[in-house]
Amino acid sequence: AEHQHTRYNPLRDDWVLVSAHRVKRPWQGQLEKPPPEDVPRWDPDNPLCPGATRANGKVNPQYEGTFVFPNDFPALQPDAPEPGDSGHPLFRAAAARGVCKVMCFHPWSDLTLPLMSLVEIRAVIDAWAELEVELGASYPWVQIFENKGAMMGCSNPHPHCQVWASSFLPNEACLEDRTQRQHLRQHGVPMLLEYAEQEARRKERLVVENADWLVVVPYWATWPYQTLLLPRRHVSRLQDLRDGERDSLASIMQRLLIKYDNLFEISFPYSMGWHGAPTGPYLEEDCGHWQLHAHYYPPLLRSATVRKFMVGYEMLAQAQRDLTPEQAAERLRSLPEVHYKQRVK
C-alpha cells in the first residue's frame, strides 16, 4: 500500500504500475464540473425523449419502458464496400461492416440506473439479452456499452446505452479470447471463473456480492474505482442467464451503482460494457474458455472534480494507478446502499 510495484493482468496479458503514495500529492491540475442535478424529466428538444424528433426527422414513439432504435450516425454500416489493396504489407486494411443501435433505459431523462426500480433494471437486462440474440445470429461480436456522464463523452443526459455489432472481433475481444483460451488449456478451468472463486474467498477487493454475482475492484485495475462484475456460475453469454440470475443481476447492478453515486455524492460517470463469448459463426464452436463479465471504468480519482488522466506514461509506457485496488474496494464497500438522493434528511 505504500510502495510502488507492478501487477499482472492475465485477461489482457499486460502490466499496471501501482503507485499508491502518489495520491498524497497536492492537486493543482484541471478541475471538472460536477454533472448537472437539474436535468428535466422530459424535454421536447432532447432527441432521446418519448415523442421527440431526432436529427433525421424521425419521431420517437411515446415509449414507457426500454426503447431501441438504429443509431442515426452509426460507426458501422452493413453494406460498406471492401477496401482496396494498398499493395504493401505495412498498409493493410480489411472490411468492417455492422450495425449500431441505441437503447434508452427509461422514458425519464432525470433517472439513471441506480435510481431505477429492480423491475426496470431487469427490463434493461432482458433487452440486452434480446439484442445479443438478434444481432449475434449473424455478427461475431456484439458490444453493449454505456458511456455515463459528459466526462466520458456522453452528449445526452438521458439514460441510454449503445450496441454495436461488427463483422470482425475487435482488439479487446481478440485479446480476451486468446488469454482465456490459453488459461483453460493450461489450468483446466475458465480464468474468470477461477478468479471469481479466489476473490470471493479472499474478500479484500470485494465490493458487493449475492448468491449469483460478485463485484470486485480487480487485482490489476487501472482506473481508480474500476470494477469487474462476475457471475459465480460458468456462463458464456448474456442470453444464457437464468431467470433468477437476471433478477440478482439487476439487484447487484443497482447496489454497485448506488455506491458509485454515493462515493462523491454525484451522478458518477463511467464507461461500462459486457464481454461474453463471440457469436455469429462462433455459436457453433466450443467457447467454454469464455466467462461472461462486465467492466466498469470510472475516471474520478479524488473527488467529484478531480479525475484520473490516462496520458504521458500511461500512453507511452504502461498503465499506472494512484491508489491500490484494495484501498479502492474498501472505500466502495463501506459506502451505504441507500442512494444519497433518497436518504431521510
Side-chain angles (χ1 to χ4, degrees):
E2 295 296 327
H3 303 286
Q4 69 269 14
H5 59 282
T6 59
R7 296 190 183 192
Y8 180 62
N9 181 346
L11 195 57
R12 299 197 74 260
D13 190 24
D14 63 11
W15 293 79
V16 58
L17 172 62
V18 182
S19 310
H21 57 283
R22 275 172 54 85
V23 80
K24 299 175 183 177
R25 76 191 193 282
W27 181 260
Q28 295 179 324
Q30 178 173 317
L31 298 179
E32 308 292 334
K33 290 183 178 180
E37 297 282 346
D38 57 347
V39 176
R41 179 156 292 181
W42 185 83
D43 181 353
D45 295 325
N46 186 329
L48 298 185
C49 281
T53 302
R54 304 203 304 273
N56 60 2
K58 292 186 177 180
V59 179
N60 296 334
Q62 294 291 343
Y63 65 92
E64 297 180 351
T66 60
F67 169 51
V68 179
F69 63 92
N71 194 315
D72 297 329
F73 304 97
L76 293 164
Q77 296 176 325
D79 53 357
E82 292 278 347
D85 184 4
S86 71
H88 194 284
L90 290 179
F91 302 95
R92 290 188 295 170
R97 301 184 179 94
V99 296
C100 299
K101 293 182 180 287
V102 176
M103 184 178 120
C104 296
F105 296 153
H106 196 279
W108 295 356
S109 293
D110 60 343
L111 210 60
T112 55
L113 279 171
L115 292 169
M116 289 167 56
S117 70
L118 291 178
V119 171
E120 291 166 336
I121 299 173
R122 167 65 193 265
V124 171
I125 294 166
D126 288 340
W128 281 341
E130 289 169 8
L131 284 169
E132 181 88 19
V133 171
E134 173 194 338
L135 299 175
S138 52
Y139 288 102
W141 189 255
V142 180
Q143 184 59 65
I144 298 166
F145 64 97
E146 178 193 5
N147 295 325
K148 180 170 178 272
M151 198 180 299
M152 297 309 290
C154 181
S155 59
N156 194 307
H158 195 91
H160 71 286
C161 73
Q162 297 191 54
V163 184
W164 293 11
S166 61
S167 61
F168 55 92
L169 287 188
N171 292 342
E172 292 297 309
C174 287
L175 186 55
E176 290 193 2
D177 184 73
R178 175 176 64 81
T179 57
Q180 290 181 97
R181 188 185 299 274
Q182 182 178 358
H183 187 92
L184 180 63
R185 185 168 58 246
Q186 293 180 347
H187 302 281
V189 60
M191 177 199 295
L192 292 181
L193 181 63
E194 181 178 13
Y195 179 69
E197 292 170 350
Q198 285 290 323
E199 290 286 32
R201 185 177 304 116
R202 295 170 185 247
K203 295 192 181 301
E204 58 189 330
R205 285 169 295 275
L206 191 66
V207 178
V208 286
E209 64 178 331
N210 60 28
D212 300 312
W213 301 87
L214 69 156
V215 175
V216 300
V217 177
Y219 177 79
W220 52 79
T222 300
W223 293 93
Y225 292 96
Q226 175 181 338
T227 55
L228 185 63
L229 172 57
L230 295 161
R232 295 182 187 271
R233 179 177 71 90
H234 184 205
V235 54
S236 298
R237 300 179 178 95
L238 264 173
Q239 59 265 43
D240 299 332
L241 293 175
R242 299 166 181 158
D243 189 66
E245 290 170 331
R246 296 187 186 198
D247 285 338
S248 58
L249 174 56
S251 173
I252 204 163
M253 283 175 55
Q254 184 189 64
R255 293 169 63 196
L256 169 65
L257 297 179
I258 286 174
K259 284 179 177 290
Y260 269 161
D261 280 9
N262 285 344
L263 180 60
F264 299 128
E265 294 198 346
I266 59 162
S267 183
F268 202 68
Y270 59 75
S271 283
M272 70 81 63
W274 284 100
H275 283 174
T279 49
Y282 295 90
L283 292 170
E284 304 301 321
E285 297 185 8
D286 181 7
C287 291
H289 55 292
W290 269 92
Q291 175 74 330
L292 176 69
H293 57 283
H295 297 281
Y296 285 83
Y297 299 130
L300 291 177
L301 173 60
R302 300 182 182 211
S303 69
T305 60
V306 177
R307 67 174 297 176
K308 168 70 176 180
F309 287 92
M310 292 295 182
V311 294
Y313 189 87
E314 291 86 358
M315 295 176 69
L316 297 166
Q318 70 180 36
Q320 180 269 334
R321 60 177 291 119
D322 293 346
L323 75 165
T324 68
E326 293 76 26
Q327 290 167 334
E330 182 179 12
R331 187 165 184 191
L332 289 173
R333 188 168 54 242
S334 65
L335 291 167
E337 295 187 10
V338 176
H339 198 278
Y340 72 92
K341 288 185 177 181
Q342 298 175 329
R343 291 181 203 151
V344 177
K345 296 185 179 180

